Each structure stands twice: as structure tokens, then as C-alpha cells.
Amino acid sequence: MIRKLFLLLAFMASAMTMQAQKFALLDMDYILRNIPAYERANEQLAQVSKKWQAEVDALQTEAQTMYKDYQKEVVFLSQEQKKARQDAIMEKEREASELKKKYFGPEGELFKKRTALMSPIQEEIYNAVSEIADLRGYQLVLDRASDSGIIFGSPKVDISSEVLSRLGYSN
């Protein structure tokens, strides 16, 4: 009886190893560095971001100038004039804050632009990885560039170069 149980356990263990999952690694940073469209998109985002930050900075500088002028003249102003100047300064600061939120907020223009520029590239990479995984029978593909805790990955299971080749880029 014990012998039969042992044989059954051994058979189950060998059956489980026969169905071991295949996996691969890729380095998304390496792939993105080798795609010219990604670099162009990053440059475009940097230029737009710099332009928009200059607009926000201009409004903030204007608000600061208005406040400095107010401080210099506060002793000469009537209560109504003080109130009007304070309101104008606060309005300018609010404009700067709203513009900053419009451009750089979580749902802002920079986020939308980044999504519009990067989504096609990410989709293309995903499709290439998916095709390679289907072709080779990988059930799992991990990104070694992400902070996933991968300490070592054999170059034999790294498909980064193959993904780049499938996308039409030589490395």
C-alpha cells in the first residue's frame, strides 16, 4: 500500500513538472532606448512642458510683482484700494494655480499628450511581445527593468533583442 502511494505521488510530481510554465524576461528600458519614436516623443514632451512651465512662471512672477508693489504702496492706499489690490493679487495667484493644474495636473494636458504620444509605442511593443510569447509558448513575460525584485535573469530567456527585431529596429 505504501509503495502504491509512493508511486502515485511520484507520478503526480512528474506530471506537474511536465506542465512547468515557460517564461521570458525583457528589458523595457533597453527596448525604449532603441526606438527613435520614443526618444522623439520624450523630446516633444520636454519642449511642451518647458513652454507651459514658462507660462505658469510668468503668471506667478506677475503675482509676486503685484504683491511687492502692493507692499510698497500699502500705507498710501485707502481700505477699498487695499481690498481691490489684494483681490487682484489673489486672482492672479489663482490663475497661476489653475493654469498649473490644467497643464500638469493628474488629468492635465501633459498627461493627455504623453498618453497620445506613448500609447501607440506601448501598444506596438505589447503586440510584439504577445506574438513572441504565443510563438514560443511563454505563459509569463517579466520586465527586468521594473522594480519587480528580479535578482538574476539568464540572458537565454531575455527576449528584448527579439522584440526590437520584430518591431523593425536593429540593436
Side-chain angles (χ1 to χ4, degrees):
M1 177 72 175
I2 292 178
R3 188 170 189 207
K4 286 183 182 180
L5 183 60
F6 179 75
L7 285 173
L8 180 63
L9 288 174
F11 177 74
M12 289 175 53
S14 66
M16 287 172 47
T17 58
M18 292 165 96
Q19 291 196 1
Q21 294 184 352
K22 289 179 69 178
F23 66 92
L25 297 175
L26 63 84
D27 186 338
M28 190 62 84
D29 288 343
Y30 169 77
I31 291 170
L32 292 174
R33 277 193 314 269
N34 285 285
I35 296 178
Y38 178 77
E39 293 299 321
R40 285 191 302 272
N42 271 337
E43 288 172 15
Q44 190 175 353
L45 287 170
Q47 289 172 354
V48 164
S49 178
K50 188 183 251 186
K51 176 186 167 214
W52 288 341
Q53 187 61 49
E55 288 179 35
V56 170
D57 290 346
L59 281 176
Q60 289 174 335
T61 301
E62 192 176 339
Q64 289 171 350
T65 302
M66 289 171 68
Y67 180 71
K68 287 177 185 175
D69 291 345
Y70 168 76
Q71 285 182 319
K72 290 176 190 174
E73 300 168 1
V74 71
V75 293
F76 304 113
L77 300 175
S78 68
Q79 283 301 103
E80 297 83 34
Q81 290 172 325
K82 286 180 186 178
K83 175 87 171 98
R85 295 288 265 305
Q86 290 169 354
D87 289 346
I89 293 167
M90 289 188 342
E91 177 62 24
K92 191 59 69 177
E93 288 172 344
R94 187 188 60 73
E95 282 178 42
S97 177
E98 285 180 4
L99 190 61
K100 186 173 185 175
K101 183 179 175 184
K102 174 187 172 192
Y103 287 150
F104 303 108
E107 304 272 330
E109 296 298 319
L110 188 62
F111 174 80
K112 291 175 187 172
K113 188 144 187 86
R114 177 176 284 119
T115 301
L117 291 172
M118 298 300 182
S119 288
I121 297 168
Q122 291 169 336
E123 185 74 23
E124 191 177 9
I125 293 169
Y126 174 81
N127 290 337
V129 170
S130 180
E131 288 172 13
I132 292 168
D134 287 345
L135 183 69
R136 297 241 183 116
Y138 297 130
Q139 286 87 22
L140 181 65
V141 178
L142 300 170
D143 179 10
R144 72 170 47 201
S146 69
D147 189 20
S148 62
I150 298 173
I151 296 171
F152 172 77
S154 171
K156 294 176 185 174
V157 295
D158 190 325
I159 61 171
S160 302
S161 295
E162 189 175 349
V163 170
L164 279 173
S165 294
R166 185 162 298 258
L167 292 171
Y169 302 104
S170 61
N171 46 345

